[in-house]
Each structure stands twice: as structure tokens, then as C-alpha cells.
Amino acid sequence: MTATPLLDIRDLRKIYKTRRGWPIPKTALVRALDGVSFTVGRGEALGVVGESGCGKSTVARVALRLQEADGGAVQFDGTDVLAAGKTDLRTLRRRMQMVFQDPASSLDGRQRIIDALGEPLRVHGIASGAAVKPAVVRLLDEVGLPPSAVDRYPHEFSGGQRQRIGIARALALGPDLIFADEPVSALDVSVQAQILKLLETLRRERNLAFVFISHDLGVVRYFCQRVVVMYLGRVVETGPVPEIFVDPLHPYTRLLKLSSPEPDPARAVAMAFQEGEPPSPVDPPSGCHFHPRCPIAVDRCRTEAPALRELRTGRHAACHLAT
Amino acid sequence: MSAPAPTAAAPRSSAFGRATRSGGLALGVLIVVASIAAAVAAPWIAPFDPNAQDVLLVLSPPDTVHPLGTDAFGRDVLSRILWGARISLYVGFVATLAGVVIGTVIGVVSGYYGGLVDRLVVAATDVLLSFPQLIMGLLLVAVLGASLTNLIIAIAVTAVPAFIRMARGSTMAMRERDFVDACRALGYSDMRIMFLHVLPNILDELVVMASLWLATAIRTESTLAFIGLSVPPPTSTWGGIVREGFDNLLDAPWMSIFPSLAILAVMIGLNLIGDGLRDATDPRSPQ
Amino acid sequence: MTAALRDDFIPDAEPPALVVDELTTQIRVGRTWYDAVRGISFAVRPRETLALVGESGCGKSLTALSVMGLLPAGVGRVSGGRIVVDGVDMTAADEPTRESMRGDRIGMIFQEPMTSLNPVLPIGFQVAESLIQHRGLSKKAALNRARELLELVRVPAAASRLDAYPHQFSGGMRQRVMIALALACDPKVLIADEPTTALDVTIQAQVLALMADVQKREGLALLLITHNLGVVASVADRVMVMYGGDVVESGPVRAFFARPSHPYSEALLAAMPRIDGDTPLQPIAGQVPTLTQMPTGCRFATRCALRHDRCAELPPLTPVGDDPNHLVRCWARMSP
């Protein structure tokens, strides 16, 4: 990793306002991102894991300026992303791309593949006229699809093939960084492995960096070099693979690991009863958000939010009790 | 890396296939196409000059010379209906087209951007929609004066809020789909996303509604003509011909009945088309 | 916890609550009916969990729908075999009998707890409804029982939440309500179709634990439909792997994971990234053929590394080694 990271996210904040209730609606603030910081190096795959509502998808959308941040800073290769004007943003978008979970929804069903992949090339002046088709064929080849795919529509492909098209589109502009939001979650295991292999090849051959958002620790362990664990809008642990999974420092990371089913009867998921519902991001618990579910919580955890501390080289956890 | 060949998805009946299987749609198209053809061909197929008076043949009932009879001035009713169709259908089509285009553009932009502009647009359409459409048309023609252009403007204005609503709602639904975010991430301009990506995806619904609105527009024009707010005489639209026959309804009912039937037939035809298209484009409808 | 239960479980102690014998289910594509489930047989005893596992299109959900008698009319049909639930032959029964069996002696849990509950009716009423219909209880008695059921599935403050609506519950809590609903009439058989797939892993663990606990306590036969071999390893007693409508391997969970024998079972396990240990990921080439393009004989043959000429003929299920309970359907893996 170089000294200056490719992507540097500092203290990122995003607040959603929800209005609920009748007849007098109450405005509630949901802190989807509550001071999130992490960095990604060139060619590095960073995993962002956590459960629904932890803010992991919001990070990608805010960093790509698909939604506006409410605070913090995002630096991409020295450029301030959040302050970028229209022209700068256009340049940035050639270098930061996104792959979505559901390729059926992320592709325009009325566009043939040649148009879906050719359009970004034309819009950004990378190819035009007769040069578009060979460029599209090259992209398709890179993701393992035959040239005959160009004249087809998205619905003519299987789920795995559609995800390959979604990846090809993200590659069209030659990015340095791809945000991948649960890119393999909607796929069957055998197809999921194909796509993971493809992404791994692309990462090595193109020296691509990834922010790989997933709820599946196994997938993240396979694909990523480093991991950020999020819980209710905050980062609770960061560290390299495999250490973070072999010896998790934060009790939430430990719970995630023990809850993830492995195909091994000797390691059945930890199914200890935890009573109650997981806390809602609308009304997060005081202090450490995780304390109501934490087996080792003490009084301090209920009042004081722990800061992310470096506990080992390159390993941080936000827990008063972790050592 | 293996290169799996694209597999054709399970045989999917196309919207077109479903549409052609529905008999109602075919009948509707037949009626409407026949009406348009008759209107276009009026100068050649009309047996008489629609405004030529024949004082010797006043209020003549249908016979072989005048298949639909003559009116109080001895004018041939068939010829007047054929020529009247030109204006009635023209006004209907142009007004609807204008309403669809203006309403859709405003609706897509408003739904895509949201925010304050969207709220103002919604408030404005709510106000406009709270007027019954006929009263609205009546007011506008009364203020602007009765002419072909003003008639078209008045009817188009009544269509605009309905299309704003529809386009806005569909656009907002499309915004929830990831492909709009994908387009933004690819650095496409908002204009490109709105009109090259969102619009084609909501066009189905707009076409269905437009065909139903066309019927409404023609009916509105007929109603306005019936109460005298249409193109000035001697030219007449269908509603006007019905009106002209109204004074002699008991003595010479053919004068009102035949243009009324023409209006009815086009109404039915357009509604059949609208319903047929809706069934054809709705993937949930049974095959 | 489950491991312990699994050890003292004696499979032959009671007659099976669910028997499926040579079930064949067909799906209509255009005007032709294709075999989507081909002659599968299994039995589930009380307190036993049988997992049907496979990828989309393998026929596992169709099997569940066939057992429930919920195949969409005109699109799917049971064309052969028998389904016996608690001694009643469902395939021979008329529709009113089948209807009275569903929700009474067979309970069902679906993947999407959001869409399986009616959003405009209170939770308590929805649980009580099946008691009123199947058991003829009064509304008051039914609501009382509904409260007990919600307590059984550990919904906190159950009594005060009878009047709550589905949207006031989280996903995990809704799935608990679904389990309570399925249990309302003391069924003998519980069919769970991907019951935890839509849930977060920590909630999945809670719901799996709850299901296992309730199942053992109530003596239910559980048919668990899942794509997740990790879930299978955690909660099932026996497993059947399906591919293209065929059972390709079946056996006790420990024997299966100790010695997966069908090339497809091996490939599935090799395609799963693990949390403990770095496994080299081995994708399965190609994809499942569509129903209209299935090869004759072994349907996995088109993607199989061990394919040879004999695969054009469907191999029988034969024991793996000398274990009579562990069966595999593969010419290459047949004991000599």
C-alpha cells in the first residue's frame, strides 16, 4: 500500500429525517452514518460488513455523491469528492464506479447490451462511431461473455450473466475503484463463486481497488484484504484478513462470526437465545450501540460511546473492554 | 473463465403477442383507423359539398341520394359528418399530443428532482384537477374566444395535470430502481437520464393513458361544440352537427343521431384500444 | 446444543409423520409438461429435521409446494407418487380434506415474513384465525391460545402485542409470528421454505435456535428447504441434495459432510467461501440447464468433471461405502 490511500473517508455523516405518526407526525433523525472513517489503498479490496441498517450501503452512495453527505470528508486520490463541482465530479466518476446487488434492477431493461455498455463510452468520449462495438466486445470478453451478447436485452440472460454485464459496465470507464454493494448476494453458490473469481482476476489484472459491501463473512474473507465492521452507523472494528476473523476483538464481530453458518456439523452456529429485538437505527441505544446485546457489557458501555482504538498493529476496535 | 452462452429466458409472451390476441384491441384499432381514414379521405369520398345548401331538399330523411338525410339547410348530413370528423379528430389528437408532451416533461422533471419544485408542481396540479375538466375547458374557451387554436389549447390544458401526475408517479417509482443510480454513477447528465432512460421505461403507461385521454378530448370538444363553443359556422364538428339537429330532433332525428353514433363509435374504439394496451403492457394480466 | 440432540436422536423409534414416495411433479412450459421433480422419496419422523438443499431450479421448493398441495393450477401438477401426512394420503384426498390438513396437521413457514402476513390485521387475530377455523375455538379462547403461542416463540411482552400490526415488528419478530402461526393447531409436520434467508445472520441464528427448540418440544417432523449448506450443517439431522429435480445424494448430516460423494455435492461445498480457513474457491462451470433443455440420464452430466458415456442413463441411488443410510446417485461413485 502506498503512503497516501486512494480513498480516504473521514468522519462521514449522513442523517435521514423520517416523519411518522398521525395526525401529528414526529420528525425522527436516523444517523445512518455516524462518523465513519476508513481508507482504501490502490488495488486493495476492503470489505465492509454488517447487518441491515448498519449504514454499509449508505457509505457507498454518499462517497459516490449519489446522496449528499451531512458532514465529514471524502478524498479520492487527493481530490475532495464532497466539494467537487460538476466538471470535477464527471472526471471522478470515470475513476469510481459501482456494482449493484440486483443486476435486474440496475440495468435498463429497454437497452440492448451494446447500448448499455456503449453509452458510457460515448458520453465520456472514450469511443465513438465504429469504435464502440469492438470496445464493448472487449469489455464483454473481459467478463467472460461472448461477442454475440451485444444484440441481446438484459432479460435474455441468467442472473449470473446479468451481474457480469453490470461489472462490464462498471469497467467501461476504466475506474481505479469499484464500490460493490452485495454483488453476489442474489446469486446461487456456484454462480457466486464464478463472479468472485472474476472480480478477483479483475482486481489483480487492472490493479482495481474495491469497497466490497457484504453481509457474508465467508465471501469477504475470500475476496478482501482488510475489513471494516459496522454496527448502527458506526465502525466497531477494522483489521486485516484473516486476523479479524480468526481472533475478532469486538464482541459484535465475534457474534457475527459465531452466527454465520459454516458447512461443518462440528461448528454449528451459536444459537444461544438472545431475547428482544435488534435495536432500531431510529432510536439507537445510548453509549455503545451494541451494549444491549453484548455479553460482556459493563456500566460504562451504557453511558460512554467507545472510540476506535488501535489494539494491535493495523487492528482497531471500538470497545471499552477489548484488549 | 468459462464463457457461458446466453440462454434465452423461458418463452415470454411479448406485449405485442398479448395485444394481438385480445379481440377488443383489434376491434378498437379497426374502428379508430376507419374513422381516421374516412376523415382524411373526406374530400374524395364525401358525396356532396358539406356546406352546399339545397333549399328544395330541407330535412329530407335518409334515402339513396342522401344516405344519412339532409339538415335544415338541405346540407348532406353524411358529408358534414365526414368533414366534421377532420376537425373533431384533429382537435382531439393535437390537443392530447400537446397535453401528453407538456404534462410528461413537467411530470418527469418534477418526479426526478423532487424537492421544492416538485411540491409546487403537485400543488398546482391539485388545483387544476379540482376543476371538473369540462368546466375548465369551458372557462378557457370563453376567455380565449372560440377558434380552432384556442379550442386545442383549452383541451390540452385540461389534459396536462393528469399527465403530470402520471409521469411524476412513474418517474418516482423508476428512481427507486438501481439503474438510475447506475446512470448517475456513470456520469450521465440529468437530461440524458430523464429522457433517454426513465422516459422509455414509463412510455407504456403513458401511451395507454393517452389513448384513453384521446377519447376524453374528443368528447370534450363535442360537448363544447354542442354548447356553441367551437369553430365558427358554417364549418362544423361532430358536436356542432348534433347541436344543429337538436332544434328539429322530433321531426328529423337523423340529423343528431348519426353524428352522435360517430362520436360513440370513436369513444368505444379508443377505450377498447386503451384497455387492450393496458392489458397487453401489464405483465400481471393473465395471458 | 443441537449436536447433543442429534446424538440421542433415534430415527426408528416412531413411524414417520410425513412420507413422500416416488413423487413426480411436472411444470408446464408452453403446451408441454416437463418433469421438474423426478420420483423423489423420503420420510420424516417426529422430532427429525430433514433438509432439502440445492440451488434455484433444483425442485426443492416444488417438492414443498407438492406436499402442501399448493402447486399453481394449470402450471404445476403432481403426476405420480404418493404423499402421506400423519397417515392421510394427500394425493388421494379431495380438496376439502387437503384444505383441512393445511394449517392443521401441516404447518408452513415461508421465506418472506413481510408478505406472508396480512398488513392490515393485528398479529393476535392472524394467529387466532386458524384456531377459530380449524379448531372451532371461540374468539376469546383463540386469542388466549395465540398469546401462549407468541410466548412459546419468545415474542417479548406477547400479551400486549396481540393488537400490534405486522409493520410494528422487525423481520426476525415477524418470522417468529409466522412460526407461532404455523404451530397454532399443533401440526405434526412443519414445512419451512427458506425460513431464514431474508434475515440477518444474527437473527437467523436466533430463529434457527427457536425453530429447533420448538420442534423438539412439540415433537414435530421438520422439512427444511434451504440453499445454505451452513444452515443444513447446523440444524438438520438428515440431508437430501437435489439437482435438476433428482435427489443426487442423501444421508445423515455427519456422514454427508464427512464424505460428500456426489460430484455436485463436492462442487457445492468447494464453491462456498469459508470463514475459518482459506479454501481455494472452485466455481462450478456453466449453469443449471433450463427445464426444456435437460440432458437425458444424469442431469448434472453437462457440468460434471467425472462424466462418461454411462451418464446418458440415470444412475440409481446406491449406498456410499458400507453405510446403508448414505446414498449417492452417480455411476462414477458407485461401490464396485
Side-chain angles (χ1 to χ4, degrees), chain C residues 2 47 86 113 234 292-293 297 310 321:
Chain C
T2 42
R47 272 178 288 280
D86 195 23
S234 287
T292 52
Q293 297 164 332
R310 225 177 153 188

Side-chain angles (χ1 to χ4, degrees), chain A residues 179-313:
Chain A
F179 289 88
D181 190 358
E182 303 268 11
V184 296
S185 307
L187 306 173
D188 274 324
V189 180
S190 63
V191 180
Q192 166 180 304
Q194 293 173 6
I195 299 295
L196 284 174
K197 283 269 182 189
L198 169 66
L199 291 174
E200 173 63 24
T201 310
L202 293 172
R203 188 181 70 78
R204 271 191 278 105
E205 287 179 357
R206 287 183 170 239
N207 195 31
L208 261 174
F210 278 88
V211 174
F212 190 92
I213 297 157
S214 179
H215 69 281
D216 186 327
L217 302 194
V219 166
V220 168
R221 170 160 185 167
Y222 170 78
F223 186 72
C224 300
Q225 286 84 55
R226 240 166 14 99
V227 176
V228 168
V229 183
M230 289 182 68
Y231 189 75
L232 289 184
R234 293 179 184 164
V235 174
V236 296
E237 183 167 358
T238 68
V241 170
E243 287 87 336
I244 192 165
F245 294 132
V246 174
D247 169 34
L249 298 175
H250 196 281
Y252 177 62
T253 315
R254 222 170 288 145
L255 174 69
L256 268 186
K257 181 190 167 189
L258 293 176
S259 303
S260 300
E262 286 273 273
D264 176 5
R267 205 183 97 18
V269 295
M271 301 192 294
F273 283 119
Q274 303 162 31
E275 297 305 328
E277 302 186 38
S280 145
V282 181
D283 186 21
S286 60
C288 171
H289 289 342
F290 186 61
H291 82 253
R293 300 172 77 187
C294 182
I296 56 169
V298 295
D299 280 346
R300 190 181 168 201
C301 304
R302 286 177 251 283
T303 52
E304 191 188 327
L308 210 55
R309 295 179 292 140
E310 181 155 20
L311 296 171
R312 318 254 196 288
T313 321

Side-chain angles (χ1 to χ4, degrees), chain A residues 61 64-67 90 93 96-98 100-102 104-111 116 119-120 123-124 143-146 148-149 152 155-158 161 164 169-170 173 194 197-198, chain B residues 1-10 12 15 113 119 174-193 196-205 281:
Chain A
R61 281 165 205 267
L64 277 168
R65 289 278 298 275
L66 296 176
Q67 290 174 5
R90 230 171 109 89
R93 287 200 159 143
M96 289 201 288
Q97 274 303 310
M98 182 149 181
F100 296 82
Q101 170 172 2
D102 179 7
S105 160
S106 68
L107 293 168
D108 181 346
R110 311 236 156 197
Q111 268 192 320
E119 191 174 6
V123 167
H124 286 271
V143 298
L145 287 173
S148 61
R152 294 171 183 265
H155 76 255
E156 296 177 65
F157 295 87
S158 69
Q161 290 170 335
R164 288 173 194 264
R169 182 178 56 183
L173 301 177
Q194 293 173 6
K197 283 269 182 189
L198 169 66
Chain B
M1 181 57 56
S2 65
T7 48
R12 202 179 85 131
Y113 285 108
R119 270 195 244 171
M174 280 296 142
R175 276 221 67 163
E176 297 297 307
R177 302 258 314 265
D178 283 337
F179 81 82
V180 173
D181 273 345
C183 289
R184 294 177 64 206
L186 287 165
Y188 297 172
S189 66
D190 289 342
M191 288 294 265
R192 172 175 278 272
I193 298 173
L196 285 179
H197 290 274
V198 173
L199 185 59
N201 278 285
I202 66 172
L203 211 55
D204 278 358
E205 296 163 72
T281 53

Side-chain angles (χ1 to χ4, degrees), chain A residues 51-52 188 190 194 197 221, chain C residues 55-56 200 202 275 281 284:
Chain A
E51 298 179 284
S52 39
D188 274 324
S190 63
Q194 293 173 6
K197 283 269 182 189
R221 170 160 185 167
Chain C
E55 297 180 285
S56 25
D200 280 322
T202 61
I275 302 165
L281 206 57
I284 308 178

